[in-house]
Amino acid sequence: MNTEQAERMNTGVGFIAALDQSGGSTSGALELYGIDPSSYSTDEQMFDLMHQMRARVMTAESFTSDRILATILFEQTMDRTVGSQLTGDYLTAKGIVPFVKVDQGLAVEVDGVQLMKPLTKLEPLLARAVERTMFGTKMRSVIKEANPAGIQAIVDQQFSVAGQILVHGLVPILEPEVDVNAPDKAEAENFLKADALAALDGLSTDQPVILKLSIPTVAGFYSDLIYHPMVLRVVALSGGYSQTKACRLLAENLGLSASFSRALLEGLTAQQSDADFDAVLAASVERIYAASTT
């Protein structure tokens, strides 16, 4: 584990930029960016366009370590270059900590949750992540309703895989997302927090993790997770909220910082001039930073 980067993730001021849209969400992300699906015909072309968008974000004047602590990358992005450097090396040189998404998507819903699909390529991916100078990883599962059995299964799977990741000297971001549209969201968060605290108490002192959670229904609800000794940081996903709503809700939670994807990229298009693109991105970065540090 890179101790300097670990200290930055634990005590640094700022937020995480999530640029890890995977194959299933890439087309939609490109469409929001102003690139119609009819403009490409193969997955390779789609991913090339997506990397161009991500590289444009990462090389923008406003994308700096003054506001951005870390960036979560898609696996292909980790293997590509920005300028003349591998993406992880480029970010590290800017003082931004690199993470890579390692899950392979969601399984079908059972007991009100979607576990991660079996991570059949995890070990070689982790070995490559170390070679590519990643500090850590991210993995997502989804809670659709307040089902105790399903939520316990989510937590068990997340922490089990986290154990495999920690062995490689990488710090895992655990993302047991609670669907913001769940009718019993607050109850689901109660079960999730209790199970997560029990799992955290079972970690040894050399096994720190990061939690990425939906913004809680009750402001300040995750404070005991934020200050848990085994948690480097708790960050929040935007969960489909607009940037304005996500920032407003985030600002109500002391110690909770952002790890936004769609909300960060809101308003950016391929058709903008570089100056207009950076102006929109800079405004978004400032709003998200302010909400993360309130």
Side-chain angles (χ1 to χ4, degrees), residues 55-269:
R56 192 180 188 193
V57 171
M58 287 185 279
T59 57
E61 186 176 342
S62 57
F63 198 89
T64 71
S65 60
D66 290 342
R67 297 288 184 264
I68 298 165
L69 292 172
T71 300
I72 304 171
L73 305 172
F74 179 49
E75 178 184 350
Q76 285 194 20
T77 312
M78 176 184 73
D79 291 329
R80 292 179 183 245
T81 59
V82 176
S84 60
Q85 296 175 285
L86 283 167
T87 306
D89 293 337
Y90 175 82
L91 290 170
T92 299
K94 293 184 76 165
I96 297 172
V97 180
F99 290 79
V100 63
K101 167 185 158 66
V102 295
D103 67 80
Q104 295 173 237
L106 300 171
V108 297
E109 183 177 334
V110 177
D111 290 336
V113 305
Q114 288 183 274
L115 295 169
M116 294 181 287
K117 290 179 179 177
L119 283 75
T120 57
K121 60 179 184 179
L122 181 62
E123 285 299 319
L125 176 53
L126 294 177
R128 203 162 79 254
V130 172
E131 293 175 357
R132 297 284 192 256
T133 66
M134 296 295 108
F135 172 73
T137 65
K138 192 215 78 167
M139 51 190 173
R140 172 177 175 259
S141 45
V142 177
I143 297 166
K144 299 282 191 178
E145 62 182 57
N147 183 306
I151 293 171
Q152 184 67 68
I154 285 264
V155 172
D156 288 346
Q157 185 189 44
Q158 285 273 342
F159 277 85
S160 175
V161 178
Q164 293 179 257
I165 293 164
L166 286 158
V167 167
H168 289 261
L170 298 164
V171 173
I173 298 176
L174 288 66
E175 185 182 0
E177 174 185 347
V178 178
D179 190 327
V180 297
N181 297 310
D184 48 6
K185 178 173 177 283
E187 186 179 1
E189 289 164 349
N190 278 321
F191 288 128
L192 174 61
K193 184 172 78 167
D195 292 343
L197 284 169
L200 287 167
D201 288 342
L203 295 176
S204 63
T205 55
D206 61 345
Q207 295 181 308
V209 300
I210 296 170
L211 299 176
K212 180 170 178 173
L213 306 171
S214 303
I215 301 171
T217 305
V218 178
F221 182 70
Y222 288 136
S223 60
D224 39 3
L225 292 175
I226 291 170
Y227 298 110
H228 194 284
M230 296 314 302
V231 176
L232 286 181
R233 182 174 289 265
V234 180
V235 296
L237 54 110
S238 52
Y241 292 140
S242 68
Q243 184 186 107
T244 298
K245 184 172 183 178
C247 287
R248 175 174 59 79
L249 294 174
L250 179 65
E252 297 173 358
N253 291 268
L254 182 66
L256 188 65
S257 52
S259 177
F260 291 173
S261 176
R262 185 181 299 182
L264 171 64
L265 303 177
E266 187 175 296
L268 299 177
T269 69

Side-chain angles (χ1 to χ4, degrees), residues 32-47:
L32 288 172
Y33 183 55
I35 297 178
D36 193 86
S38 62
S39 64
Y40 53 88
S41 56
T42 66
D43 284 351
E44 182 179 4
Q45 291 172 339
M46 178 180 73
F47 286 123

